[in-house]
Structures are given as structure tokens and as C-alpha cells.
């Protein structure tokens, strides 16, 4: 399978790509990780535009690092306050203009659906780098590449998602994608207030025929799982501070809590971490969240080169 089918395509929702396309991207991501120097010039003459209307460290900078490593160039803004949005410019107008300045646009926005809207005004590929509490497809690609590299085949895994499953867009995208791989079992560990959105539950159950085990206790599944996906309580999406304060320390992963977990468990976290994983866990070989952040560069190199349809060495 080559990646030609991805040329010119938008990535708004992880379902935009077929399983074959996802696998081809992962294969390319692993090749780029092994021999980045082979790809050092393949985006020469190309420009990536970043439109970030929400804070970001890893996503924006790993996109930028990816583009620079491919020999391309980057421009954009990392804060809506320094863009013309602050003067009242519409998203559609900003996109129409940026479309002429860059060969692909990477957008993060607090409003769900904003990158989708942008894709309707753009002639170049638009990549969703996170829209509100909705989706974050390139984090999912990062998570998949980490699994592929450190685990091998992505199949027959018992996976626990823990934390803010209501607002956590990384969870929504990863759940919607992992359920397309064979033999997955999901444990959804959250306070009742932060269970996954009803529409996602319906989709997983009725469209993908997935059995979901929802529980407020990590202890219910810690011994069985192969992957523990920890997430931050998404403070910025809460309607009131009081509710956030009540829920913010719902789960704190410690060395002690991992005592009964499998030897080959993998602990992932999209980062940033606030309080949900204690620093002592970082020393545990099962903690892979920093390697995961590294993988984000390589999968974004693969994605950028594929959607811009550049010739690979
Ligand atoms: C995540 C996000 O922005 O959704 N961060 C990231 O992109 N790695 C997770 C989060 O902010 O909690």
C-alpha cells in the first residue's frame, strides 16, 4: 500500500482514513523514526501554516519540528490574541487567506467543528490538531505509533482509559480508532460526572458492537490491562470551578497502584500531566508517555509528507 490516496486529503476525524491508510502511515512513521536523514529534504519548498486558537506545547511544536526535519518551513500563530481573530475576523476569512500562504494548514480551536468548517474554505489539506472536547486525530496517530513500536501488533489488547472521558478529545479519537482493530476490550474508568459522551457510547455499542466496562475504580481492571491511558481533568471545559475542584484529583497514579499490574503494561498519557500521575511513576519502565511525545514528531512527518503528496526518497 502506498500513501498516494492521502494526497490533498484533510484529517478532521480519525475515521477520515481507512485502516489501510492508517497502517501505511504507521509503517512510514516507523521508517522515518529509524532513518530520519533519508527524509531530510522531501518537503523542501513547502510551507506548513499553524493556526492555534488554543494553548499547545507538544502538538504545535512536534508539527513544527516534523516539518523542519522534512526540510520544509513553517509560519503561523500560536495564540488567537495575536491574530486578526482579535479584531473580529471570521475563521472562514482567515482560512481563505492562509490557504494562499501555505501548502497545508494545522488548526487547533476551542470550538468543536472549527477545523471541519476550515476544510470547507481551504484548497490545501487541513489537519485537526484538536477541536474543543471533540476530536484529536493526530494524537491518536501518535498513540498508535507508540503502541506499534513498543508493543508490536495492535490487536487483542485490554485497554483502560482513565480520567476525564467526557471532555478528553484524545480519548474520543483513540477509542473511535482502537475499536476498529481486532480483539479490543475497553475499561472506561472515570467519575460518573465524566463518563464518555452518550453519542460516543451509542456509536461504540451500536455501530462497532463493542462491550464497554464503565467503572469509577481503576482497581477493577488494573490487573488485567495491557494499556493504561491516563488523562488530565480538562479544567478549561468545565462550566464552574467548584465542579472542577471536586473532581480534579479523582485519579492519581502512584507506584503502589501499579503493583498488581502486568509486567508488560504500557502507561500512556497525551500530556500535559497535572496531578494524575505521580513523578515516581516516571521511573517505572512501563511508563511510556515521554517516548509517546517523541513518536509524535515521526508520525506527523509521515502525515505531512502524505497529505502534501511529496516524493519520498
Ligand atoms: C491533549 C489535548 O490538547 O487534548 N494534549 C496534547 O495535544 N498532547 C491533552 C490535554 O490537553 O489534556
Amino acid at each position: 500500500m502506498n500513501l498516494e490516496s492521502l494526497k490533498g486529503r484533510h484529517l478532521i476525524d480519525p475515521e477520515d482514513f481507512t485502516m489501510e491508510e492508517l497502517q501505511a502511515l504507521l509503517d512510514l512513521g516507523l521508517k522515518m523514526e529509524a532513518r530520519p536523514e533519508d527524509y531530510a529534504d522531501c518537503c523542501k519548498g513547502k510551507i506548513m501554516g499553524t493556526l492555534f486558537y488554543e494553548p499547545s506545547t507538544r502538538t504545535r511544536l512536534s508539527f513544527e519540528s516534523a516539518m523542519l526535519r522534512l526540510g520544509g518551513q513553517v509560519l503561523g500563530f500560536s495564540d488567537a490574541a495575536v491574530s486578526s481573530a482579535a479584531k473580529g475576523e471570521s475563521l472562514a476569512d482567515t482560512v481563505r487567506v492562509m490557504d494562499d500562504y501555505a501548502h497545508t494548514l494545522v488548526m487547533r480551536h476551542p470550538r468543536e467543528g472549527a477545523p471541519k468548517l476550515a476544510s470547507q474554505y481551504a484548497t490545501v489539506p487541513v489537519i485537526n490538531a484538536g477541536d474543543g472536547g471533540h476530536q484529536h486525530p493526530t494524537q491518536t496517530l501518535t498513540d498508535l505509533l507508540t503502541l506499534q513500536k513498543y508493543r508490536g501488533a495492535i490487536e487483542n489488547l485490554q485497554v483502560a482509559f482513565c480520567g476525564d472521558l467526557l471532555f478528553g478529545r484524545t480519548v474520543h479519537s483513540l477509542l473511535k480508532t482502537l475499536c476498529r482493530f481486532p480483539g479490543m476490550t475497553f475499561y472506561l474508568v472515570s467519575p460518573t460526572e465524566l463518563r464518555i459522551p452518550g453519542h460516543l457510547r451509542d456509536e461504540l455499542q451500536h455501530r462497532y458492537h463493542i462491550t464497554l466496562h464503565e467503572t469509577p475504580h481503576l482497581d477493577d481492571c488494573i490487573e488485567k490491562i495491557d494499556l493504561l491511558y491516563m488523562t488530565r481533568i480538562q479544567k478549561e471545559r468545565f462550566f464552574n470551578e467548584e465542579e472542577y475542584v471536586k473532581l480534579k484529583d479523582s485519579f492519581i497514579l502512584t507506584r503502589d497502584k501499579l503493583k498488581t499490574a502486568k509486567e508488560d503494561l504500557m502507561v500512556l498519557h497525551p500530556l500535559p500531566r497535572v496531578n494524575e500521575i505521580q513523578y515516581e511513576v516516571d521511573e517505572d519502565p512501563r511508563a511510556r508517555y515521554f517516548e509517546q511525545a517523541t513518536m509524535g514528531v515521526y508520525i506527523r512527518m509521515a502525515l505531512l509528507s502524505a497529505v502534501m503528496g511529496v516524493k519520498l526518497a
Side-chain angles (χ1 to χ4, degrees):
M1 157 95 202
N2 60 39
L3 283 158
E4 264 163 40
S5 63
L6 291 181
K7 183 175 178 181
R9 294 256 298 275
H10 305 297
L11 174 57
I12 306 299
D13 184 292
E15 288 185 347
D16 291 345
F17 291 178
T18 65
M19 288 300 276
E20 291 73 30
E21 288 164 343
L22 287 177
Q23 193 55 58
L25 270 181
L26 294 177
D27 293 346
L28 179 59
L30 285 182
K31 278 197 203 161
M32 288 178 152
E33 194 241 351
R35 296 184 57 86
E37 62 280 9
D38 288 356
Y39 304 90
D41 288 324
C42 65
C43 281
K44 210 163 165 207
K46 300 282 185 201
I47 299 172
M48 175 187 79
T50 51
L51 295 83
F52 275 62
Y53 294 83
E54 243 194 6
S56 169
T57 299
R58 267 150 298 270
T59 302
R60 185 174 62 83
L61 295 177
S62 64
F63 262 112
E64 293 196 359
S65 179
M67 191 60 180
L68 296 172
R69 285 167 198 235
L70 293 167
Q73 288 172 293
V74 302
L75 55 79
F77 55 85
S78 55
D79 180 357
V82 299
S83 79
S84 283
K87 300 181 187 170
E89 184 172 56
S90 70
L91 186 72
D93 283 359
T94 304
V95 169
R96 275 195 190 115
V97 171
M98 286 289 286
D99 192 60
D100 286 332
Y101 297 170
H103 300 97
T104 184
L105 299 176
V106 180
M107 174 181 282
R108 169 169 287 190
H109 203 285
R111 242 180 26 239
E112 311 191 346
K116 169 110 191 135
L117 181 78
S119 71
Q120 286 155 5
Y121 290 92
T123 61
V124 299
V126 174
I127 299 171
N128 178 4
D131 61 328
H134 191 215
Q135 298 291 336
H136 194 341
T138 68
Q139 181 63 46
T140 294
L141 294 178
T142 301
D143 304 337
L144 294 179
L145 189 67
T146 312
L147 272 172
Q148 182 95 72
K149 178 167 165 81
Y150 294 102
R151 179 92 205 183
I154 306 175
E155 56 188 22
N156 303 323
L157 298 177
Q158 310 241 356
V159 183
F161 289 87
C162 180
D164 186 345
L165 311 189
L166 176 62
F167 298 118
R169 56 196 176 193
T170 60
V171 171
H172 304 161
S173 287
L174 186 56
L175 256 174
K176 265 181 79 168
T177 306
L178 278 184
C179 73
R180 297 161 73 194
F181 287 82
M184 296 288 166
T185 305
F186 298 119
Y187 298 91
L188 305 180
V189 185
S190 71
T192 41
E193 294 88 337
L194 297 177
R195 289 169 65 190
I196 58 167
H199 65 86
L200 182 58
R201 182 179 302 106
D202 285 351
E203 193 178 345
L204 292 168
Q205 288 175 336
H206 301 124
R207 188 160 151 224
Y208 290 103
H209 309 289
I210 299 286
T211 310
L212 298 172
H213 306 278
E214 298 194 68
T215 167
H217 306 293
L218 186 55
D219 287 349
D220 289 349
C221 61
I222 190 76
E223 294 173 20
K224 296 182 242 187
I225 54 177
D226 305 297
L227 168 62
L228 172 56
Y229 198 86
M230 292 297 296
T231 61
R232 170 180 75 89
I233 306 293
Q234 306 280 297
K235 181 178 184 193
E236 65 277 33
R237 316 255 179 252
F238 277 68
F239 299 111
N240 69 68
E241 172 88 13
E242 214 176 294
E243 185 75 356
Y244 169 71
V245 170
K246 188 180 102 194
L247 296 171
K248 76 181 171 65
D249 292 328
S250 298
F251 299 100
I252 299 178
L253 191 65
T254 59
R255 206 163 16 203
D256 198 49
K257 290 204 176 118
L258 284 173
K259 265 199 185 125
T260 57
K262 287 186 180 174
E263 288 265 303
D264 62 352
L265 168 74
M266 190 187 296
V267 182
L268 296 184
H269 188 309
L271 304 177
R273 128 177 80 180
V274 182
N275 208 19
E276 58 281 354
I277 302 182
Q278 288 210 339
Y279 281 78
E280 61 183 24
V281 175
D282 300 357
E283 311 304 321
D284 191 308
R286 294 170 289 188
R288 291 288 192 186
Y289 27 90
F290 290 109
E291 287 90 341
Q292 183 185 2
T294 304
M295 288 298 123
V297 174
Y298 298 108
I299 198 65
R300 289 179 172 107
M301 286 170 72
L303 176 66
L304 288 168
S305 58
V307 298
M308 286 189 284
V310 300
K311 227 175 127 41
L312 298 176

